[in-house]
Amino acid sequence: MLDLAAGHPVEGAPSAEEAPILAVELPQLAVAETWGARLDLYVLLGLKQLFAWADAWPGGPAPLVVNISYATHAGPKDGTGFLEAEIARLTAARDAHAAPTRVVLPAGNAQRARGHASLVLKPGDPAQALDL
């Protein structure tokens, strides 16, 4: 499955030396809950492990694209949450000192497009109801 996720055809996929695929598995206790209390820690530990493997790659640090298929359903989804902010910080640091790094996060896995809303109130504005 990782070959397909990495964009390789079923037949004729490149060898591990030509196009390496690294993976970490998160523990069940971390992925079973959806509010992020445990997930954040394990995602960051997994990300740091992938960085370490890619940094030690023969020939120097390897460029890296990381796909994180898990997401929390609570909290902000605008980059200001702890996990998103820490991923951005770690990725920027690796970009600057090792090799290009990109992280792909899920968008809409839970089919909850209507479950979140945003409202900007200026000081003194009355509270407003949200149209859902």
Side-chain angles (χ1 to χ4, degrees):
M1 190 58 146
L2 286 175
D3 290 351
L4 292 175
H8 300 307
V10 175
E11 290 91 25
S15 70
E17 292 78 27
E18 295 170 320
I21 298 173
L22 308 172
V24 294
E25 182 177 359
L26 304 180
Q28 185 176 1
L29 71 98
V31 299
E33 55 89 15
T34 59
W35 56 90
R38 291 180 224 148
L39 183 65
D40 293 0
L41 171 66
Y42 287 104
V43 167
L44 293 173
L45 288 171
L47 189 63
K48 286 186 169 198
Q49 182 61 58
L50 291 170
F51 286 8
W53 287 334
D55 290 349
W57 205 257
L64 190 60
V65 176
V66 179
N67 178 51
I68 299 174
S69 295
Y70 294 105
T72 57
H73 302 304
K77 309 288 185 292
D78 60 2
T80 61
F82 170 75
L83 181 60
E84 293 167 327
E86 192 62 10
I87 288 171
R89 186 187 71 77
L90 292 170
T91 300
R94 188 168 190 276
D95 271 349
H97 300 292
T101 307
R102 300 296 175 263
V103 176
V104 180
L105 296 172
N109 283 359
Q111 307 292 321
R112 293 185 171 192
R114 294 174 41 111
H116 301 282
S118 177
L119 179 65
V120 177
L121 293 175
K122 296 184 184 100
D125 283 352
Q128 299 177 3
L130 295 175
D131 243 350
L132 296 180

